[in-house]
Amino acid sequence: MTTGVRRRMGVEERKQQLIGVALELFSHRSPDEVSIDEIAAAAGISRPLVYHYFPGKQSLYEAALRRAADELAARFVEPPRGPLGARLLRVMGRFFDFVDEHGPGFAALMRGGPAVGSSTTNAMIDEVRQAAYEQILAHLEVGEPSARLELVVRSWVSLAESTALLWLDGRRVPRAELELQLVHDFAALAAVSAAYDPGMAEILVGILADEPADGPFGDLVARLAALAPSPAPAPDALPAVPDQRLP
């Protein structure tokens, strides 16, 4: 039988509740539009009690971003089994799940919000990017990346971030297409770099050796092949031209 008596939360439990409430609100609206009064009401406590646990909105915002950043970084974790293309496609699926679920919060994390310019916020953003970078290197089984490989991977992480932010602005391109396109983008960046660097060429050959024809990378090859013009027929295959000289 319920008595109606509300259980008193401990300090850490209450903090975690407030972080969860704030993150939920930030996920649906820009943090700049969410007030402490709204957070207090959603948590079922008074405004002064929110300030008892957090000095101000910025500290609560940063705590919510910390949780979001940790969750986003975890989306890049993938067991190192199977072809790389399929692994990257699963990672992109989880990445866009997060973006879809936390649209304004994701934009705030990557663009800044009430805490824009703070060293704490900037450090969290860099941690997410670094975690993604290290996960991709782990999939490639490279401990000490060359300058060109680092450029490829960091460029791709940046591209995934900017693509997601643009997608949120109207969602004009189907999400599934963007997820696959980003996997293709990784292959394209690696291929261009391989054309300049033997070390990158070796890595690319190793990646493609394990790729099935019906995988994401095989799909890219098929799409590019369809764009190539048909080769001109060999000279000996050309039809004979009648001799039109005058008798």
Side-chain angles (χ1 to χ4, degrees):
M1 180 177 177
T2 303
T3 61
V5 177
R6 182 178 297 175
R7 182 176 64 86
R8 183 180 180 86
M9 291 186 182
V11 172
E12 187 57 31
E13 187 180 8
R14 177 65 78 183
K15 280 187 174 181
Q16 293 304 314
Q17 182 216 17
L18 286 170
I19 291 171
V21 166
L23 185 56
E24 176 66 19
L25 291 171
F26 295 157
S27 295
H28 295 92
R29 290 158 55 205
S30 169
D32 290 320
E33 300 173 357
V34 178
S35 68
I36 288 292
D37 287 331
E38 288 180 86
I39 295 171
I45 61 176
S46 65
R47 175 190 175 95
L49 196 54
V50 176
Y51 285 110
H52 174 74
Y53 294 104
F54 293 95
K57 180 177 175 178
Q58 180 166 314
S59 64
L60 179 53
Y61 171 76
E62 290 181 355
L65 283 188
R66 173 76 276 163
R67 182 182 292 184
D70 291 343
E71 182 183 343
L72 180 55
R75 302 291 176 108
F76 284 87
V77 178
E78 171 73 20
R81 295 189 297 270
L84 179 63
R87 284 185 251 163
L88 292 181
L89 190 57
R90 288 192 291 271
V91 167
M92 286 296 94
R94 291 195 300 272
F95 173 66
F96 272 88
D97 280 344
F98 181 92
V99 174
D100 207 5
E101 294 162 7
H102 305 285
F106 174 80
L109 174 63
M110 294 304 175
R111 290 175 174 155
V116 62
S118 80
S119 58
T120 301
T121 304
N122 292 337
M124 281 189 278
I125 295 170
D126 288 340
E127 284 176 24
V128 172
R129 293 169 178 153
Q130 183 64 21
Y133 168 73
E134 291 174 359
Q135 280 298 315
I136 301 306
L137 289 183
H139 285 295
L140 296 174
E141 299 181 348
V142 175
E144 295 294 332
S146 65
R148 288 190 184 277
L149 179 57
E150 180 174 359
L151 180 61
V152 166
V153 178
R154 291 198 185 279
S155 296
W156 184 72
V157 170
S158 178
L159 179 61
E161 174 188 323
S162 59
T163 297
L165 287 170
L166 288 170
W167 177 73
L168 283 172
D169 186 16
R171 309 187 184 208
R172 292 170 291 174
V173 178
R175 172 184 152 177
E177 287 185 16
L178 283 184
E179 292 171 9
L180 181 59
Q181 182 178 316
L182 281 166
V183 177
H184 289 172
D185 287 333
F186 181 86
L189 287 169
V192 170
S193 186
Y196 289 86
D197 181 71
M200 278 301 305
E202 183 178 348
I203 290 174
L204 183 62
V205 168
I207 291 172
L208 296 179
D210 295 329
E211 290 294 321
D214 60 350
F217 292 164
D219 177 71
L220 174 60
V221 172
R223 289 171 183 265
L224 293 176
L227 296 176
S230 300
D236 58 357
L238 292 174
V241 178
D243 188 351
Q244 299 186 11
R245 291 175 296 178
L246 293 174

